[in-house]
Structure formats: structure tokens, C-alpha cells
Amino acid sequence: MSSEPLGGLGRYAGPATLILSSLAGGSKHGYALTRDIEQFAGVTLQPGTLYGALSRLERQGAIEALEGEGRRRPYCLTPSGAAELQEHLGTQRRVAEVGLKRLDAGWSAA
Amino acid sequence: MSDQITQPPSARADLAAAVHALPERMGWWFIPASLLFWTVLWPVGLLAAVVWLVARTRRLRRLQSPVDRRIARLLRWYPAGWRERYGDEFAALLRDTIADGRGGLCLSLDVASGGLAARAEDGARQRMLAAIFLTVGWIPLFPQGIVPLVMQLTGVPARSWFVALYLPQPLQWLTAVAMVALGLALLAAGVRMAGGLTLAGRRAPVR
């Protein structure tokens, strides 16, 4: 596993964050993931992008597949995936706090 | 007066002269190789392509609905190993997405992009490409690159099957150098791919 959170995912790092955040609320299959991400992030992940990120996350050990429900197969977060997500979101939170603070200081009067 | 005017040679005579000069200009193998290509290889290749297309169309038509046919076509963007692992669940998601009315051009482009990315990462494909590059790369490097360069430097008159030596003089050096560059590029790409696969194999967790 990479030392950088969600490292090595390239253009799939954004979708991967959304997928891990969705799976943090419980296991889901592809279609349920798409709908959940639409609801909490307002982003529609197309099937090719979703499965591109899912296959990479599974290869990295951040998620794992469960027994299928018919042709649909649910995925769940692994402990290492949860740790990666925690670290990644912590970094994002720090970046967001700094950005918001600087915006408040410099742009509030504008 | 009319006797003094030299008649321009006819097109037929030009063609005959050009054909006559071909073995000398291009090498003795050129005519049999051309005959083989135009009479056997090209028609057989065309026939094989037509047979393949007809068989593929029939196979797709045996599937039940237009949606099934579209899903089968979309899945073909992905490599076989990926389809084996994710094909069923991915097809189910595609079916749900199309049923939701979101099966437009964006879906096709997204699936094509994902499939090409999966193919680029496919280990078997990379191994095959590395083997091809490492095998083929020597041809432009040595027999089509370094050897013609040495022949140019030493003034050996033979042209044999060295492509560069059949070109006009200023292009001979350029072509030989380009061949060396092409050979080195192919070999470097092959070594890089093979090295990447070896490292990936060492890093892969033992299950």
C-alpha cells in the first residue's frame, strides 16, 4: 500500500474518495453506490469511472467484495481502507480550513 | 519536318520499362513478394475480416434485446481478465443505468475510456507488448540502422534488403539514423515494460 493516502490512484483519486466515503456508511453494490454518492455529493459517477476506481481500490486492499446478490456484488470497506480514508479526509479538512480562513481574512470585504 | 519531331514515349512503353527495371531497382524478391501479397495475402486477409465480422454480428444478434447487444458491445472495451472478474456485475450496473434513462453518448464514452485504461494496465497485454518490442526492436536498430550506417561509412556498394540504401542519397543517412532511434525506442519501451512487470510482481502481496 502506498504511504500517501489514496496514492497511486491517479485520476481515480476523486472517485475513490467518494466511494470510500459511501462505503463508510455500509456495504453497497455498484448501483447503490452511484445513487448514494449522488445524494451526499451531488456527483454522478458513470459506470466506467466507478468500476475503474472500484477495481483499483480492491487491488490496493482498501475495499473487498462480498457474496453477490444475484448479478450484483456488494463491496465493503476494509480496516486499511478506513485508515486511508481517515488520513485523506484529515488532510482535506486541514486544506479546507486553511483555504476558508484565508478567504475570510482577505476576501470578506470584497 | 515531321521526321525531325521525336515522338514522346507512350505510357505503355513507360510502364513496361518501369516493370522491367523493378528487379534491378528494388531487388529480385520484389516481384514474387508483390504477386504473393496481391494474389494471396490481401484477398485472404479481406476474406478473413469479412468472415469474422459476419460471425460476430450473428453472435450479437442471437442475444435477445438491443440493450443486451449494446451491453455486450460496451463490455468488449475491457480486457478478458477484467470481464471475467467484473463482467457480470458491471453488466448489471450498465443495465440499471440504461433503464434510468442515462444511457446516452456520455455512458459509451465513459465506458470506452475506462476499458482502454483497463487494457493499458492489463498485465498479460503488457507482457505481450514487452515481448514484441524486445523482439522487433533489434530489426530497425541493427540490420536497418547500424549496418547501413557502417556500409555508408565504408562505401560498400551492396544494397541488399537495407531500406535506407534504396532511397536518394540525402535521405539514406537520415533514414538509417531514424531506424537506429526507432530501434532504441522500441527496446527501451520493452525493457521498461518488462522491468515494471517484474517490480509489480515483486511488490504484489502473497495471498
PDB file of all heavy atoms in Angstrom, chain B residues 27 33 36 61 69 117 124 138 145-146 159 184:
ATOM      1  N   GLY B  27      15.262  -5.061 -56.017  1.00  0.00           N
ATOM      2  CA  GLY B  27      15.718  -6.381 -55.576  1.00  0.00           C
ATOM      3  C   GLY B  27      14.884  -7.466 -56.232  1.00  0.00           C
ATOM      4  O   GLY B  27      13.715  -7.245 -56.571  1.00  0.00           O
ATOM      5  N   ALA B  33       7.265 -11.176 -54.203  1.00  0.00           N
ATOM      6  CA  ALA B  33       6.623 -10.720 -52.959  1.00  0.00           C
ATOM      7  C   ALA B  33       5.349  -9.938 -53.263  1.00  0.00           C
ATOM      8  O   ALA B  33       4.327 -10.099 -52.603  1.00  0.00           O
ATOM      9  CB  ALA B  33       7.598  -9.859 -52.162  1.00  0.00           C
ATOM     10  N   LEU B  36       2.687 -12.369 -54.410  1.00  0.00           N
ATOM     11  CA  LEU B  36       2.168 -13.101 -53.246  1.00  0.00           C
ATOM     12  C   LEU B  36       1.180 -12.233 -52.463  1.00  0.00           C
ATOM     13  O   LEU B  36       0.108 -12.673 -52.061  1.00  0.00           O
ATOM     14  CB  LEU B  36       3.330 -13.533 -52.345  1.00  0.00           C
ATOM     15  CG  LEU B  36       2.953 -14.323 -51.100  1.00  0.00           C
ATOM     16  CD1 LEU B  36       2.473 -15.710 -51.490  1.00  0.00           C
ATOM     17  CD2 LEU B  36       4.124 -14.440 -50.136  1.00  0.00           C
ATOM     18  N   ARG B  61     -26.448 -10.795 -32.630  1.00  0.00           N
ATOM     19  CA  ARG B  61     -27.888 -10.792 -32.930  1.00  0.00           C
ATOM     20  C   ARG B  61     -28.620 -11.901 -32.188  1.00  0.00           C
ATOM     21  O   ARG B  61     -29.820 -11.808 -31.960  1.00  0.00           O
ATOM     22  CB  ARG B  61     -28.123 -10.926 -34.423  1.00  0.00           C
ATOM     23  CG  ARG B  61     -27.716  -9.694 -35.184  1.00  0.00           C
ATOM     24  CD  ARG B  61     -28.591  -9.447 -36.386  1.00  0.00           C
ATOM     25  NE  ARG B  61     -28.229  -8.205 -37.042  1.00  0.00           N
ATOM     26  CZ  ARG B  61     -28.566  -7.009 -36.605  1.00  0.00           C
ATOM     27  NH1 ARG B  61     -29.288  -6.891 -35.515  1.00  0.00           N
ATOM     28  NH2 ARG B  61     -28.187  -5.925 -37.241  1.00  0.00           N
ATOM     29  N   ARG B  69     -27.457  -6.286 -26.554  1.00  0.00           N
ATOM     30  CA  ARG B  69     -26.430  -6.148 -27.601  1.00  0.00           C
ATOM     31  C   ARG B  69     -25.523  -4.964 -27.292  1.00  0.00           C
ATOM     32  O   ARG B  69     -24.309  -5.035 -27.445  1.00  0.00           O
ATOM     33  CB  ARG B  69     -27.100  -5.957 -28.966  1.00  0.00           C
ATOM     34  CG  ARG B  69     -27.680  -7.243 -29.530  1.00  0.00           C
ATOM     35  CD  ARG B  69     -27.804  -7.152 -31.035  1.00  0.00           C
ATOM     36  NE  ARG B  69     -28.843  -6.231 -31.453  1.00  0.00           N
ATOM     37  CZ  ARG B  69     -30.129  -6.552 -31.598  1.00  0.00           C
ATOM     38  NH1 ARG B  69     -30.512  -7.781 -31.361  1.00  0.00           N
ATOM     39  NH2 ARG B  69     -31.007  -5.670 -31.997  1.00  0.00           N
ATOM     40  N   ALA B 117      -8.321   2.269 -20.346  1.00  0.00           N
ATOM     41  CA  ALA B 117      -7.419   2.369 -19.186  1.00  0.00           C
ATOM     42  C   ALA B 117      -7.143   0.977 -18.606  1.00  0.00           C
ATOM     43  O   ALA B 117      -6.007   0.657 -18.247  1.00  0.00           O
ATOM     44  CB  ALA B 117      -8.035   3.280 -18.129  1.00  0.00           C
ATOM     45  N   ALA B 124      -1.177  -9.156 -18.857  1.00  0.00           N
ATOM     46  CA  ALA B 124      -0.918 -10.068 -19.981  1.00  0.00           C
ATOM     47  C   ALA B 124      -0.603  -9.269 -21.242  1.00  0.00           C
ATOM     48  O   ALA B 124       0.302  -9.614 -22.002  1.00  0.00           O
ATOM     49  CB  ALA B 124      -2.132 -10.956 -20.208  1.00  0.00           C
ATOM     50  N   TRP B 138      15.250  -5.033 -32.404  1.00  0.00           N
ATOM     51  CA  TRP B 138      16.587  -5.287 -32.955  1.00  0.00           C
ATOM     52  C   TRP B 138      16.623  -5.068 -34.471  1.00  0.00           C
ATOM     53  O   TRP B 138      17.673  -4.769 -35.022  1.00  0.00           O
ATOM     54  CB  TRP B 138      17.043  -6.720 -32.652  1.00  0.00           C
ATOM     55  CG  TRP B 138      17.142  -6.956 -31.187  1.00  0.00           C
ATOM     56  CD1 TRP B 138      16.270  -7.639 -30.403  1.00  0.00           C
ATOM     57  CD2 TRP B 138      18.154  -6.470 -30.308  1.00  0.00           C
ATOM     58  NE1 TRP B 138      16.666  -7.608 -29.090  1.00  0.00           N
ATOM     59  CE2 TRP B 138      17.837  -6.899 -29.007  1.00  0.00           C
ATOM     60  CE3 TRP B 138      19.305  -5.693 -30.488  1.00  0.00           C
ATOM     61  CZ2 TRP B 138      18.613  -6.608 -27.901  1.00  0.00           C
ATOM     62  CZ3 TRP B 138      20.081  -5.402 -29.383  1.00  0.00           C
ATOM     63  CH2 TRP B 138      19.731  -5.845 -28.118  1.00  0.00           C
ATOM     64  N   GLY B 145      19.557  -0.094 -39.314  1.00  0.00           N
ATOM     65  CA  GLY B 145      20.136   1.141 -38.801  1.00  0.00           C
ATOM     66  C   GLY B 145      21.646   1.133 -38.793  1.00  0.00           C
ATOM     67  O   GLY B 145      22.298   1.795 -39.605  1.00  0.00           O
ATOM     68  N   ILE B 146      22.223   0.345 -37.883  1.00  0.00           N
ATOM     69  CA  ILE B 146      23.679   0.376 -37.709  1.00  0.00           C
ATOM     70  C   ILE B 146      24.404  -0.186 -38.935  1.00  0.00           C
ATOM     71  O   ILE B 146      25.380   0.410 -39.412  1.00  0.00           O
ATOM     72  CB  ILE B 146      24.061  -0.389 -36.425  1.00  0.00           C
ATOM     73  CG1 ILE B 146      23.563   0.415 -35.214  1.00  0.00           C
ATOM     74  CG2 ILE B 146      25.565  -0.600 -36.343  1.00  0.00           C
ATOM     75  CD1 ILE B 146      23.773  -0.261 -33.887  1.00  0.00           C
ATOM     76  N   ARG B 159      23.281  -3.120 -51.726  1.00  0.00           N
ATOM     77  CA  ARG B 159      22.111  -2.530 -51.052  1.00  0.00           C
ATOM     78  C   ARG B 159      21.298  -3.583 -50.309  1.00  0.00           C
ATOM     79  O   ARG B 159      20.589  -3.260 -49.371  1.00  0.00           O
ATOM     80  CB  ARG B 159      21.231  -1.809 -52.078  1.00  0.00           C
ATOM     81  CG  ARG B 159      21.922  -0.590 -52.614  1.00  0.00           C
ATOM     82  CD  ARG B 159      20.992   0.236 -53.442  1.00  0.00           C
ATOM     83  NE  ARG B 159      20.603  -0.442 -54.674  1.00  0.00           N
ATOM     84  CZ  ARG B 159      19.914   0.141 -55.640  1.00  0.00           C
ATOM     85  NH1 ARG B 159      19.547   1.391 -55.509  1.00  0.00           N
ATOM     86  NH2 ARG B 159      19.589  -0.510 -56.723  1.00  0.00           N
ATOM     87  N   LEU B 184      16.092   1.803 -30.832  1.00  0.00           N
ATOM     88  CA  LEU B 184      16.402   2.093 -29.425  1.00  0.00           C
ATOM     89  C   LEU B 184      15.131   2.387 -28.637  1.00  0.00           C
ATOM     90  O   LEU B 184      14.985   1.943 -27.493  1.00  0.00           O
ATOM     91  CB  LEU B 184      17.363   3.283 -29.339  1.00  0.00           C
ATOM     92  CG  LEU B 184      18.810   2.996 -29.742  1.00  0.00           C
ATOM     93  CD1 LEU B 184      19.625   4.286 -29.747  1.00  0.00           C
ATOM     94  CD2 LEU B 184      19.434   1.977 -28.787  1.00  0.00           C
TER      95      LEU B 184
END
